[in-house]
Amino acid sequence: MKASEWARERKQWFKDHPQDYYVCHYSNLSLMPSETTLDHTNNRKHEGALVPCSFMDNARKGSMSHDRYVAKYYPDHECDLGAQPRQNIIKGGIKW
């Protein structure tokens, strides 16, 4: 995905999901919109679900798969993305 495409997608996501705060998908930290990044639960080369997350988690995850990252850093995390539709994951922040 080109940087300009990602910028459009990110801008559209925040427009579609306005919040006073977001919850990091991984750490469950409350984040102000200015602190919120978006993570592809699948790598960016494949269309995947977007979830709000902290900059630290997004940077640390890098290109690691969602399941590998969760197992390594958040082994008690109970989120199972499976094949859920995108809107079920991001509607209102996190939907487990």
Side-chain angles (χ1 to χ4, degrees), residues 9 39-44 46-50 86:
E9 185 173 356
D39 181 50
H40 286 84
T41 56
N42 297 321
N43 78 37
R44 288 174 66 171
H46 305 289
E47 188 168 326
L50 292 173
R86 181 176 178 163

Side-chain angles (χ1 to χ4, degrees), residues 3-42:
S4 61
E5 292 170 337
W6 170 238
R8 270 194 308 278
E9 185 173 356
R10 183 181 191 285
K11 183 177 180 179
Q12 187 63 47
W13 188 93
F14 281 104
K15 182 178 176 183
D16 292 345
H17 302 90
Q19 306 266 342
D20 291 334
Y21 72 93
Y22 296 89
V23 177
C24 177
H25 176 73
Y26 301 104
S27 66
N28 291 323
L29 291 174
S30 293
L31 304 166
M32 298 299 297
S34 61
E35 302 171 311
T36 304
T37 64
L38 298 177
D39 181 50
H40 286 84
T41 56
N42 297 321

Side-chain angles (χ1 to χ4, degrees), residues 54-79:
S54 68
F55 177 80
M56 182 200 73
D57 279 308
N58 202 346
R60 186 166 61 177
K61 179 178 174 278
S63 62
M64 197 181 306
S65 75
H66 174 270
D67 293 341
R68 183 172 173 213
Y69 183 75
V70 168
K72 183 173 182 175
Y73 293 102
Y74 297 99
D76 296 329
H77 199 284
E78 296 180 10
C79 179

